[in-house]
Amino acid sequence: MVELNPNSLVGAQQVTPVLLVIGTRPEAIKMLPVVRALRQVPEVDLKVVTTGQHRQMLDQVFAVFGEKPDIDLDLMTPGQTLGDITCRVLKEMEALIAEHNPGLVMVHGDTTSAMAAAMAAFYVRVPIGHVEAGLRSHDIQRPWPEEYNRISIDAMAELLWAPTSTAVLNLRAERPAKHDTTRHIEVTGNSGIDALLHVAKGLEGDELASIDVALDPSKKLVLVTGHRRESFGGGFGRICDALVEIAKRGDAQIVYPVHLNPQVKQVVEERLGNTSAIHLIPPVDYVQMVALMQAAHVVLTDSGGIQEEAPALGKPVLVMREVTERPEAVATGVAQIVGTNVDGIVAAATRLLSEPDHYERRARKVFPYGDGTAAQKIAASVAAFVKKAQNSKDQAR
């Protein structure tokens, strides 16, 4: 008996396998709205792949969006180096691509796992789609190694979904349109705003009750996050010194969910653990983080995602880095680069805590990264891409 291939039947729905790779929690936050949108595209057989990094935090984010990974590579090992991550992701993704024969591999942002997954696809000539393409600090060392990773992914990708027009200009500057006939670049906004608005809408008001910290309603909440490799060592020491000075004011309380990386956790706990106005807490889930941002008076961060999210909530942001690949938020006046200099951090925070007029000018809801429809735009782009690819195959037969 001859078995018929359903895809060879006239009028049958053509389906293309697509692998979407998620490594860290920030990637999950921004990719899960895209996952939900792609689940509704009939031409796509989506497989969500996790590398196994940030396992506990990943599980929390997946639960928020009612999703589960289809494939877990379980690559997380204690003390792994960037080289370890690159080699293991590259090897495992190579095998996965051979097994599933995808028509597209999708990655997000600038992590080493995203770069290695893209490289695995590139080596076997499978098209790559890059969510959040075109971000640049224009300093290869800052953030490190993220700036290299995103440049590398963009050089390999065929579909580039840029969050802003500035990101498009960065891509075009690196490869002018007249020399770039194979790539599709599209401004979609940032899918992180999709995730933020989804979660903020569902907050019920008691999300902070589950956080093990006694907040004083009479004091202004300063929310801090910090984890960048470029600040390991002296940078984190200076950040800690600045936070101690801010805590001495008496009218502010600092909440710092401490990243699990030992090079962050050890320094922060040693330097800040005995300061009464500073609350060091374990990493919080994404819903709790959004609730903390909403409750905050000001946010101090080196996180890229929070530089996008806090402005959408109307919260002033002090960026504890020397450069940023997100200049759009700085241009609005809501975000300010303060570096890791003690005096710079303290002076900027003091103005926001002490000068109501200055605070009101900075505490405005702005949306330089989109209106919450990025995931739908990306899904539509993927649908058009797989249809075009399938039509080309049909014509070649």
Side-chain angles (χ1 to χ4, degrees), residues 30 34 106 108 130-133 135 159-168 171 184-194 367-382:
K30 294 184 176 184
V34 178
M106 297 176 63
H108 172 275
H130 189 197
V131 177
E132 200 177 81
L135 273 64
L159 295 174
L160 298 105
W161 298 295
T164 66
S165 57
T166 300
V168 172
L171 294 168
H184 172 75
I185 299 174
E186 181 177 350
V187 178
T188 60
N190 197 303
S191 55
I193 301 301
D194 300 30
F367 297 89
Y369 302 105
D371 57 4
T373 60
Q376 293 296 330
K377 292 172 182 174
I378 292 168
S381 178
V382 172

Side-chain angles (χ1 to χ4, degrees), residues 30-350:
K30 294 184 176 184
M31 282 295 242
L32 283 170
V34 178
V35 169
R36 296 182 74 190
L38 284 172
R39 298 282 196 207
Q40 306 303 313
V41 177
E43 298 87 359
V44 168
D45 176 19
L46 182 68
K47 293 290 186 291
V48 178
V49 182
T50 63
T51 62
Q53 296 164 266
H54 297 189
R55 171 54 53 76
Q56 182 180 357
M57 293 188 286
L58 269 180
D59 291 344
Q60 293 168 348
V61 179
F62 271 92
V64 169
F65 290 90
E67 285 285 346
K68 292 182 179 180
D70 300 296
I71 301 167
D72 187 344
L73 298 180
D74 194 22
L75 300 182
M76 186 68 174
T77 58
Q80 63 188 358
T81 66
L82 293 175
D84 293 333
I85 296 171
T86 302
C87 293
R88 297 187 73 193
V89 172
L90 186 59
K91 191 67 177 176
E92 293 296 325
M93 282 300 301
E94 180 182 53
L96 203 60
I97 290 168
E99 177 184 352
H100 291 273
N101 190 28
L104 181 68
V105 171
M106 297 176 63
V107 299
H108 172 275
D110 53 22
T111 65
T112 297
S113 55
M115 182 273 295
M119 187 175 292
F122 180 73
Y123 280 170
V124 292
R125 296 186 179 276
V126 171
I128 300 157
H130 189 197
V131 177
E132 200 177 81
L135 273 64
R136 298 290 184 271
S137 70
H138 304 290
D139 183 341
I140 199 70
Q141 298 294 332
R142 297 173 177 171
W144 180 88
E146 289 86 355
E147 181 76 354
Y148 165 78
N149 288 340
R150 53 185 169 232
I151 292 171
S152 177
I153 296 169
D154 285 339
M156 295 184 284
E158 192 165 323
L159 295 174
L160 298 105
W161 298 295
T164 66
S165 57
T166 300
V168 172
L169 291 176
N170 290 333
L171 294 168
R172 292 301 188 200
E174 292 169 357
R175 194 189 302 179
K178 65 180 180 180
H179 303 304
D180 191 12
T181 59
T182 61
R183 299 196 304 176
H184 172 75
I185 299 174
E186 181 177 350
V187 178
T188 60
N190 197 303
S191 55
I193 301 301
D194 300 30
L196 176 73
L197 298 180
H198 169 76
V199 170
K201 184 178 179 180
L203 290 179
E204 298 177 355
D206 60 352
E207 287 76 15
L208 297 184
S210 59
I211 298 176
D212 187 19
V213 57
L215 295 176
D216 184 343
S218 69
K219 294 184 177 182
K220 296 170 182 175
L221 175 61
V222 177
L223 175 63
V224 177
T225 74
H227 69 281
R228 288 285 180 186
R229 291 176 183 269
E230 68 209 66
S231 295
F232 287 178
F236 270 111
R238 293 189 294 274
I239 288 171
C240 290
D241 290 343
L243 295 179
V244 169
E245 292 302 311
I246 295 168
K248 289 178 181 178
R249 290 177 50 85
D251 62 347
Q253 56 191 333
I254 296 171
V255 174
Y256 188 167
V258 182
H259 199 278
L260 296 177
N261 189 309
Q263 295 194 64
V264 177
K265 191 171 186 291
Q266 182 177 348
V267 173
V268 169
E269 290 180 348
E270 287 178 355
R271 302 286 289 269
L272 303 177
N274 295 320
T275 305
S276 59
I278 300 178
H279 305 284
L280 303 180
I281 63 175
V284 296
D285 66 37
Y286 182 54
V287 173
Q288 292 170 328
M289 179 57 75
V290 175
L292 279 169
M293 281 193 286
Q294 286 192 325
H297 186 78
V298 60
V299 179
L300 280 68
T301 190
D302 63 10
S303 163
I306 290 179
Q307 289 179 60
E308 298 159 351
E309 295 165 344
L313 296 174
K315 302 299 177 178
V317 185
L318 300 181
V319 182
M320 298 184 296
R321 292 171 55 190
E322 304 303 325
V323 294
T324 182
E325 62 287 342
R326 292 167 171 86
E328 298 88 353
V330 176
T332 68
V334 174
Q336 177 185 352
I337 298 174
V338 294
T340 60
N341 175 271
V342 176
D343 292 340
I345 295 171
V346 173
T350 297

